[in-house]
Amino acid sequence: MPAQVNSVTIPRPDDWHLHFRDGQVMESVVRYTARQFARAIVMPNLSPPVTTAAAADSYRQRILAAVPKGEQFTPLMTAYLTDNSDAEDLVSGHADGIFTAAKLYPAGATTGSADGVTDIGKIYPLLEAMQKAGMPLCIHGEVTDDDVDIFDREAVFIERTMSKLVSDFPALKIIFEHITTDDAVQFVLGGPETLAATVTPQHLHINRNAMLVGGIRPHAYCLPVAKREKHRLALRKAATSGSPKFFLGTDSAPHERGAKESSCGCAGIFGAPFALESYITVFDEEDALENFEGFAARHGPAFYGLPVNAGSITLKRGKAVVPGAIQAAGSEIVPFHAGETLGWELA
Ligand code: DOR
Ligand code: ZN
């Protein structure tokens, strides 16, 4: 028996997908990310969405102002693509270091996606420009057709949209965001080097039973929705395998308690507060602690063409007690793992 590993030190990691929101909520939640991560890809689905470099630059300043003193944290901004996005603003925003990537929301797919893209054909010229400029594309990979079952929307997106996109833009870096199915795992593994995926903590920990057995549990609801157990197992295998195609992206999506515990609850799980503790628990359970560093700190920078962060962070076996709620903007947000105790903590 090899000796048990009791602590893991890795270069400072990054969160390659999260939602900070804006205003007071943003001011309350940025600290949870800055405590653990050196950088994060910030989603642009505000209302109104962040569609221009000027809007992204001012949003970035607001986030930076909310970073607690003494923390080193860099928000990496994304452009929200619409049918009418301005290719020139996009590409010059990328060249100027304002936009790290652009985000494609199929219109109607999720929270804040009403202004998203209605037909991918409409943005082919934009995608051409991004490919030429070396600007990565983050994709919410679900179809929105009424006749497609919500549990099938990711798999159908692969068939109808993603496959063609990958072959039509062979040099475009594509991040298949927050994958939830074995279908997506296999598609990413079988795809070119320009295709990678982020994996959230919730999709590694829970399947759809967590949401629906014994009562409806709105805090386990996010989009794409958690799927069957076989998909969770495929995601765990992929994320912990050491493959550079998979990296950390929490999709932390805070909604105040009342917006989730409602007759029409919002999609989104607030995973930021205990993200690293949550992920490393999975790597430990899968006996793959040696692959945690790649997933959390190396594969993302390599794919995005950014340096690995300086400095390091240590996680050790211990007790991370997750509170039942976190105060934000005069309200409460229920975090992922609320009320649980995780077996790893930040040193
Ligand atoms: O669950 C989700 N929440 N999925 C998304 O794609 C968006 C996010 C949000 O903004 O709340
Ligand atoms: Zn998201």
Side-chain angles (χ1 to χ4, degrees), residues 76-89:
L76 304 175
M77 310 311 288
T78 56
Y80 183 112
L81 297 181
T82 72
D83 289 352
N84 306 311
S85 289
D86 176 354
E88 216 183 307
D89 182 65

Side-chain angles (χ1 to χ4, degrees), residues 19 21 45 110-111 140 178 222-223 251 253 255 267-268:
H19 303 262
R21 315 304 187 200
N45 62 333
T110 187
T111 311
H140 183 109
H178 42 52
C222 65
L223 287 171
D251 198 14
H255 291 278

